[in-house]
């Protein structure tokens, strides 16, 4: 039996080389006879260097969304994703059908679903539509986040730490296994990043060197207030445990270097998803289902209670006999007379009359007669009794 395909969701800041990376891994899988299934979730991109199987641009017109809703670029992307998220059940159905093709079809199922996301990373990661798309994917397939980082721009301690904090926030927001992909290694080698993530002292040395050069303000040794250096030092200590949950690979989207390492990391993270993340995901889904079931039961009980209060059945001597409130024979005779008068008075009311219309007529009649009763209690019997008590 074929294994379940792994969904690889590529996220990254604008300019990190995310789309080029998508093209490279797509080409790598085709060359190795492992044709993937590709999704493009960026509605604003004009051209993509690969052929997506599902493209948000086929069903959502980004410019038309901006025009209709009077939105800017980011608002247009967010609204387009929200509109696309309404079709998530159809998307998952297509992916499941592709993952489990008809036996008569000769085409083998894909081993990977590749998902390209907008360059405005916060629009996808922190939006409701992004959460819906990711949770829906993860509920059906092992899902891995590939966070693409621009290596040349991350060579300084401050930008490196900023990227690590962003990666940390994405990890705990999505609750999915993550791979840090240091892209553009043909321009800047990523060994420094691995050293900083695995050896705290090397990061401290780099931090002291930058401080001595006045990178954080001022000139000469110890330039600046020292606030930035102290902050980076504290954050590096805090993130030391965070690094242990990540896989880090250096790749070049231009040359293809490191792509083998990336897919090795994807396999490890898929196993980690099935071992650690999937049970937690199923537990959260069961809790949500239980909450929905309890809420439905509460709503149903409330509706039934309201119906019982508003729809009092006609009096039955047997019911009166079983009532827990004791009453004298004289009271029972009076009540029987009232019930009889009530039945005679309303025998001409059609059984299919609207209940709300009846209640409104009772309320109007009481106001005209100057009788004050509890407006919540408009049953037949109390209406008749209140009417009998009005001044002659």
């Amino acid at each position: 039996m074929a294994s379940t395909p792994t969904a690889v969701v590529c996220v990254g800041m604008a300019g990190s080389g995310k789309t080029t990376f998508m093209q490279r891994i797509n080409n790598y899988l085709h060359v190795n006879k492992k044709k993937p299934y590709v999704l493009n979730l960026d509605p604003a991109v004009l051209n993509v260097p690969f052929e997506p199987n599902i493209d948000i641009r086929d069903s959502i017109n980004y410019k038309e969304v901006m025009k209709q809703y009077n939105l800017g670029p980011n608002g247009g992307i967010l609204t387009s994703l929200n509109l696309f998220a309404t079709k998530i059940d159809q998307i998952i159905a297509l992916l499941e059908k592709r993952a489990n093709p008809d036996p008569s079809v000769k085409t083998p199922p894909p081993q990977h679903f590749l998902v390209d996301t907008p360059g405005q990373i916060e629009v996808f990661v922190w939006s409701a539509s992004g959460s819906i798309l990711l949770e829906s994917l993860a509920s059906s397939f092992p899902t891995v986040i590939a966070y693409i980082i621009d290596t040349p721009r991350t060579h300084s301690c401050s930008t490196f730490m900023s990227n690590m904090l962003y990666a940390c926030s994405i990890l705990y927001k999505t609750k999915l296994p993550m791979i840090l992909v240091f892209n553009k290694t043909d321009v800047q080698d990523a060994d420094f990043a691995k050293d900083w993530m695995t050896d705290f002292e090397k990061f401290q040395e780099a931090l002291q060197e930058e401080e001595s050069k006045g990178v954080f303000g001022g000139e000469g040794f110890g330039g600046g207030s020292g606030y930035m250096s102290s902050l980076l030092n504290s954050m590096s200590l805090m993130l030391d445990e965070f690094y242990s949950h990540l896989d880090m690979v250096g790749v070049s989207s231009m040359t293809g270097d490191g792509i083998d390492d990336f897919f090795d990391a994807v396999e490890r993270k898929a196993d980690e998803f099935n071992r650690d993340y999937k049970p937690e995901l199923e537990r959260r889904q069961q809790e949500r289902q239980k909450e929905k079931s309890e809420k439905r039961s509460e709503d149903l009980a409330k509706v039934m209670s309201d119906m019982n209060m508003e729809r009092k059945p006609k009096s039955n001597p047997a019911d009166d006999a079983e009532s827990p409130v004791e009453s004298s024979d004289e009271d029972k005779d009076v009540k029987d007379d009232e019930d009889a008068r009530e039945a005679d008075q309303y025998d001409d009311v059609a059984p299919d009359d609207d209940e709300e219309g009846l209640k409104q007529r009772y309320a109007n009649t009481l106001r005209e007669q100057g009788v004050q009763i509890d407006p919540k209690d408009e049953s037949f019997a109390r209406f008749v009794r209140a009417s009998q008590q009005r001044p002659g």
Side-chain angles (χ1 to χ4, degrees), residues 41-197:
L41 300 183
D42 189 351
V45 66
L46 295 178
N47 297 293
V48 289
F50 50 85
E51 187 66 29
N53 299 95
I54 297 177
D55 196 335
I56 187 175
R57 298 174 299 171
D58 292 338
S59 56
I60 306 294
N61 189 323
Y62 165 69
K63 290 186 177 180
E64 190 64 26
V65 168
M66 290 177 61
K67 181 180 178 181
Q68 281 192 357
Y69 297 97
N70 194 27
L71 300 169
N74 286 348
I77 293 174
L78 178 59
T79 304
S80 297
L81 281 172
N82 290 340
L83 294 172
F84 192 68
T86 62
K87 308 175 186 293
I88 188 61
D89 55 334
Q90 302 174 35
I91 298 168
I92 297 300
L94 285 173
L95 296 181
E96 290 178 342
K97 183 178 179 181
R98 190 66 185 87
N100 301 282
D102 191 284
S104 61
V105 178
K106 301 299 182 182
T107 305
Q111 296 183 19
H112 300 89
F113 295 131
L114 305 182
V115 184
D116 193 16
T117 60
Q120 288 76 0
I121 187 172
E122 67 283 354
V123 171
F124 179 78
V125 174
W126 297 102
S127 66
S129 54
S131 298
I132 291 170
L133 290 165
L134 285 176
E135 289 183 7
S136 300
L137 267 178
S139 64
S140 301
F141 310 100
T143 305
V144 177
I145 302 293
Y147 179 46
I148 317 301
I149 299 173
D150 188 343
T151 307
R153 293 185 182 179
T154 314
H155 193 260
S156 69
C157 294
S158 57
T159 53
F160 172 81
M161 193 55 61
S162 297
N163 267 293
M164 294 302 102
L165 287 174
Y166 217 126
C168 181
S169 66
I170 294 172
L171 176 68
Y172 289 105
K173 176 65 172 65
T174 62
K175 296 181 177 64
L176 294 171
M178 177 184 288
I179 303 172
L180 296 182
V181 181
F182 283 84
N183 196 15
K184 306 182 183 180
T185 54
D186 53 309
V187 179
Q188 172 71 57
D189 195 280
D191 288 342
F192 75 92
K194 178 178 280 189
D195 292 340
W196 289 355
M197 292 176 64

Side-chain angles (χ1 to χ4, degrees), residues 324-339:
V325 179
E326 296 183 1
S327 58
S328 65
D329 293 339
E330 182 180 353
D331 292 337
K332 291 179 181 178
D333 293 338
V334 172
K335 186 174 185 305
D336 291 341
D337 293 340
E338 291 175 349
D339 290 344

Side-chain angles (χ1 to χ4, degrees), residues 277-308:
Y277 288 80
K278 189 175 181 180
E280 175 64 17
L281 180 66
E282 291 175 347
R283 185 188 66 80
R284 295 203 307 268
Q285 290 176 337
Q286 290 173 358
E287 286 182 353
R288 285 197 294 267
Q289 189 64 31
K290 183 179 178 182
E291 289 175 0
K292 289 181 181 179
S293 178
E294 291 176 351
K295 183 69 167 59
R296 283 196 297 266
S297 299
E298 290 176 2
D299 292 342
L300 181 60
K302 185 177 180 181
V303 169
M304 296 302 294
S305 175
D306 292 342
M307 291 176 63
N308 290 335

Side-chain angles (χ1 to χ4, degrees), residues 248-267:
M248 174 266 180
V249 294
V251 303
S252 171
S253 298
M254 293 299 295
T255 65
D257 184 45
I259 299 299
D260 288 324
D261 296 335
F262 170 75
F263 279 103
D264 289 341
V266 168
E267 294 302 318

